[in-house]
């Protein structure tokens, strides 16, 4: 009878497959627009700094919404909140297809960013329907669809952009999102949750303080390009970021259900693991912001390629990310989470050094991106496993939610850092209108990514040594 209970039922398989499709369509929708970043800059007549908000607004919205929606799902039910979030997400996709201005696009991206909060809910449902010993299968399948969606998004999205324009990419995913929402409504069945006697407190004050901190910090970064001329602006914005960060910490100390549990953050393994994952997110999205612009800028400042060339160059990154995510689960059992994390951070750092030294051809960029991707996938899986196993059992959900939140914060910083360099170092090309990032911009982006990644190496090696000597 015990053996029977460990089998995955047909309905559980159905639930797992349907919910895994959420990652597939979300990453398809996210990566399909990457080759179009230069088009957004041109069509909306915006700077490189401003263009970074097309990625950052999505990530900030996800960071703020995820813990809030998670709390609401505990009160009102996982399926109900999942459907509401999917409707918000589909609305964002719909608006994005008609966006003819930056502000409308940012509104669409914020709505799509709120959609990030559907993933913890979906995984929570998967944990309910799968036997505990089969949960690893569900985690691997669920996680791999993110990388799979990224591969499909690059291939399909680039061709749609090249032949029909970037608006069509949003319309290509809209019917799929709507159909999937109907399938979830019709075929996903979740056990009714008992209504809590006292509703869980939602930390809206903390969410507002966190959003203020991140937004003011990112806007402050955009003013650094002007130097002394804008010293008042960036000093003022960084001051706002510092004050709101202090306020956020004060709020979290007093909140009954904080977004970030500061007691967990002081854990000697959780803190470095969380910082490593924040750095991994930051470095990943520095690459996402940089490569499409580098490939599509006119020669000699860029490669003069189109959206399809961007996809071809970034495809090794996405494919290795898919393979690495799946394989990491098996490697993890052999080498351990701290060692896997250390290996991942070292490999990705070597990749960033290679990208700094060898980015004169599209082929070399593709090879180094594959190396970076392998390292990042190992560091990501290893880091999350450290968090999962280090947190007290009763605080596992809180720890994972907190880690995801800070990972998204890191991801939102990455594009802004890359865009700051792109905006600061520019030149013109004869016969082509506009200004484009120079070699200095790309060298500084890759150097910054290398130095930041080195910080993760130090943290990972310290974690691994601490485990060995413990």
């Amino acid at each position: 009878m015990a053996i029977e209970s460990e089998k995955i039922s047909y309905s559980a398989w159905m639930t797992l497959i349907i919910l895994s499709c959420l990652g597939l369509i979300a990453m398809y929708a996210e990566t399909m627009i990457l080759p179009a970043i230069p088009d957004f800059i041109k069509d909306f007549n915006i700077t490189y700094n401003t263009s970074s908000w097309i990625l950052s607004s999505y990530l900030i919205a996800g960071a703020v919404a995820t813990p809030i929606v998670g709390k609401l799902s505990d009160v009102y039910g996982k399926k109900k909140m999942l459907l509401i979030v999917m409707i918000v997400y589909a609305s964002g996709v719909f608006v994005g297809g008609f966006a003819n201005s930056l502000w409308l696009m940012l509104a669409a991206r914020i709505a799509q960013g709120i959609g990030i909060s559907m993933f913890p809910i979906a995984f929570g449902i998967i944990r309910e329907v799968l036997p505990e010993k089969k949960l690893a299968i569900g985690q691997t399948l669920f996680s791999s669809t993110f990388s799979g969606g990224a591969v499909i998004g690059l291939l399909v999205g680039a061709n749609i952009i090249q032949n029909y324009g970037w608006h069509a990419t949003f319309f290509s995913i809209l019917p799929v999102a709507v159909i999937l929402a109907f399938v979830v409504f019709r075929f996903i069945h979740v056990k009714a949750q008992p209504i809590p006697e006292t509703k869980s407190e939602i930390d809206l004050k903390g969410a507002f303080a966190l959003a203020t901190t991140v937004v003011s910090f990112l806007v402050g970064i955009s003013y650094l390009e002007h130097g002394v001329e804008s010293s008042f602006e960036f000093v003022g914005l960084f001051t706002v970021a510092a004050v709101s960060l202090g306020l956020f910490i004060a709020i979290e100390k007093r909140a009954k259900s904080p977004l970030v549990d500061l007691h967990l953050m002081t854990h000697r393994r959780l803190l470095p693991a969380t910082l490593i994952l924040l750095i991994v997110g930051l470095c990943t999205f520095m690459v996402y912001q940089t490569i499409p612009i580098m490939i599509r800028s006119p020669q000699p400042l860029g490669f003069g390629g189109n959206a399809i060339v961007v996809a071809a160059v970034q495809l090794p990154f996405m494919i290795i990310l898919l393979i690495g995510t799946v394989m990491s689960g098996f490697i993890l059992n052999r080498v351990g989470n701290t060692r896997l994390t250390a290996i991942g951070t070292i490999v990705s750092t070597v990749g960033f050094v290679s990208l700094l030294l060898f980015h004169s051809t599209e082929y070399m960029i593709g090879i180094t991106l594959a190396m970076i991707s392998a390292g990042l996938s190992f560091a990501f899986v290893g880091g999350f496993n450290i968090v999962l196993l280090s947190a007290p059992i009763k605080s596992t959900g809180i720890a994972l939610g907190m880690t995801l939140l800070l990972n998204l914060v890191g991801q939102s910083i990455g594009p802004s850092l890359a865009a700051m360099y792109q905006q600061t170092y520019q030149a013109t090309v004869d016969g082509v209108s506009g200004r484009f990032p120079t070699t200095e911009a790309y060298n500084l982006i890759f150097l910054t990514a290398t130095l930041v990644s080195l910080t993760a190496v130090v943290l990972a090696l310290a974690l691994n040594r601490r485990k060995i000597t413990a």
Side-chain angles (χ1 to χ4, degrees), residues 294 349-360 365 368 372 439-451:
M294 187 179 190
T349 301
V350 171
F352 282 119
V353 172
S354 300
L355 193 56
L356 173 63
L357 298 176
F358 310 109
H359 58 262
S360 58
I365 292 174
T368 54
I372 291 169
T439 301
E440 289 80 5
Y442 298 121
N443 285 338
L444 285 170
I445 290 170
F446 301 143
L447 176 61
T448 300
T450 299
L451 295 176

Side-chain angles (χ1 to χ4, degrees), residues 4 20 28 63 69 127 161 201 207 210 226 271 291 315 401:
E4 196 68 28
S20 294
Y28 167 83
V69 172
R127 288 183 65 181
I161 291 167
E201 178 185 302
L210 176 65
H226 301 296
L271 178 59
I291 299 303
L315 192 58

